[in-house]
Amino acid sequence: MSYGYIGSMKTKPGHRNDVVDILLSGADGLRKAGCDLYVVSVSDTDDVTIWVSEVWQSKEKHDASLQLPEAKAAIGKAMPMLTGEFTSQEVTVMGGLGV
């Protein structure tokens, strides 16, 4: 079974697309770090919330990925555009389409 993470973050008005671009800019390196699924989503009716769904080979690989220099740089770049309102849920992935 895999480790899953589902989270949301709220951006300051007018910055949602900038943060989405930052989140997606590092997606290519995630597979090498042990990520099997990485999805960034937004709603047509909420212009400040971003949802991120991830499936990792293990929690340890997820945690290690946050220590990579490129991840730290992306987080530092995005943080000034965020409100500080986050949600998160760690889950055990049982299966499904795409995983």
Side-chain angles (χ1 to χ4, degrees), residues 2 36-37 54-56 93-99:
S2 302
D36 293 326
L37 180 73
E54 306 174 33
V55 176
W56 289 82
V93 177
M94 305 303 288
L97 185 64
V99 291

Side-chain angles (χ1 to χ4, degrees), residues 26-39:
D28 290 339
L30 294 177
R31 185 168 304 282
K32 185 171 44 172
C35 184
D36 293 326
L37 180 73
Y38 181 76
V39 179

Side-chain angles (χ1 to χ4, degrees), residues 17-94:
N17 290 342
D18 297 327
V19 174
V20 166
D21 289 344
I22 292 167
L23 293 171
L24 293 175
S25 71
D28 290 339
L30 294 177
R31 185 168 304 282
K32 185 171 44 172
C35 184
D36 293 326
L37 180 73
Y38 181 76
V39 179
V40 177
S41 305
V42 298
S43 168
D44 292 338
T45 61
D46 176 348
D47 63 355
V48 297
T49 304
I50 300 168
W51 293 91
V52 180
S53 302
E54 306 174 33
V55 176
W56 289 82
Q57 294 166 2
S58 69
K59 179 174 179 10
E60 293 76 21
K61 288 187 179 193
H62 171 264
D63 292 349
S65 76
L66 296 173
Q67 301 306 313
L68 296 171
E70 53 271 25
K72 287 184 175 187
I75 291 167
K77 189 174 177 182
M79 286 303 284
M81 294 182 266
L82 300 174
T83 66
E85 297 174 72
F86 301 93
T87 66
S88 65
Q89 182 66 54
E90 295 179 301
V91 297
T92 300
V93 177
M94 305 303 288

